[in-house]
Amino acid sequence: GAVVSQHPSRVICKSGTSVKIECRSLDFQATTMFWYRQFPKQSLMLMATSNEGSKATYEQGVEKDKFLINHASLTLSTLTVTSAHPEDSSFYICSASQGAGGQETQYFGPGTRLLVL
Amino acid sequence: GNSVTQMEGPVTLSEEAFLTINCTYTATGYPSLFWYVQYPGEGLQLLLKATKADDKGSNKGFEATYRKETTSFHLEKGSVQVSDSAVYFCALSGGGSEKLVFGKGTKLTVNP
């Protein structure tokens, strides 16, 4: 149980294009999903918290107009990198939260590697 | 605020050696504690967790005990395998927030 998928697993795009990444909880409903970015050999950096049916909460320093997050259902959140540039190249990982009342556990997707040329 | 400090790597061991990766935390209240593992090129997988003091999380031969008195959650395995080579992250959540606070990660390499 508690499986989270991401699509695509890898994407290469030209500078200036937009890229959409999907995150799905396959066998549970997730009111809250999270989006992270990971640079090589570093820990995860939380970008935003995505709540179903409401606006995402972005961490300080993350451009909300550049990284658009939509959480349309209890099993799907999407991250769109708008007008991507080479500096946006990174490994993007989502997670979905299961549980409640202080017993939440985050389950992570396999990640999406984005390369912007 | 909440923080996690874990042993800096890299750690290199021979197969069947004993593993300890230290993790200590600072948090208000009673956080939940986690160990995640990341294999090369993949996302994070939950390895084990503990939600209250003295709880022991265990999975795949790995163990960690939630020690409130020493604010620690050290990861141990009695006999490592080559397939355990990965990066291990200690993390906590709590204080009314679901957000995870991660340690910097410890890279483990196990040689045959």
Side-chain angles (χ1 to χ4, degrees), chain A residues 32 34 36 38 42-44 46 49 59 91 93 97 102-110 113, chain B residues 32 34 36 38 41-46 49 51 89 93 97-100 102-105 107:
Chain A
T32 307
F34 301 85
Y36 296 84
Q38 186 179 34
Q42 293 190 25
S43 189
L44 280 71
L46 179 64
T49 302
E59 295 299 300
F91 193 49
I93 308 176
S97 180
Q103 302 294 311
E104 296 86 359
T105 298
Q106 286 187 35
Y107 294 91
F108 286 79
R113 190 161 301 282
Chain B
S32 294
F34 307 85
Y36 286 89
Q38 185 177 32
E42 300 183 12
L44 273 67
Q45 298 178 24
L46 177 65
K49 68 177 181 180
T51 58
F89 292 95
S93 68
S97 172
E98 290 182 74
K99 292 182 184 179
L100 279 172
F102 284 94
K104 293 186 176 181
K107 182 176 181 179

Side-chain angles (χ1 to χ4, degrees), chain A residues 11-25:
Chain A
V11 58
I12 301 173
C13 69
K14 293 181 180 179
S15 185
T17 60
S18 294
V19 174
K20 179 186 284 189
I21 303 170
E22 292 186 349
C23 177
R24 293 181 186 272
S25 56

Side-chain angles (χ1 to χ4, degrees), chain B residues 27-108:
Chain B
T28 54
Y30 301 92
S32 294
L33 302 173
F34 307 85
W35 276 101
Y36 286 89
V37 57
Q38 185 177 32
Y39 297 100
E42 300 183 12
L44 273 67
Q45 298 178 24
L46 177 65
L47 182 58
L48 52 86
K49 68 177 181 180
T51 58
K52 60 182 188 295
D54 300 325
D55 268 1
K56 178 187 283 187
S58 61
N59 185 25
K60 298 181 182 179
F62 291 89
E63 292 183 343
T65 300
Y66 188 143
R67 302 282 188 203
K68 187 165 176 60
E69 64 275 15
T70 54
T71 61
S72 65
F73 194 54
H74 304 322
L75 182 68
E76 296 183 337
K77 185 173 185 180
S79 177
V80 293
Q81 306 300 312
V82 173
S83 57
D84 293 326
S85 298
V87 179
Y88 292 81
F89 292 95
C90 184
L92 70 81
S93 68
S97 172
E98 290 182 74
K99 292 182 184 179
L100 279 172
V101 175
F102 284 94
K104 293 186 176 181
T106 303
K107 182 176 181 179
L108 170 66

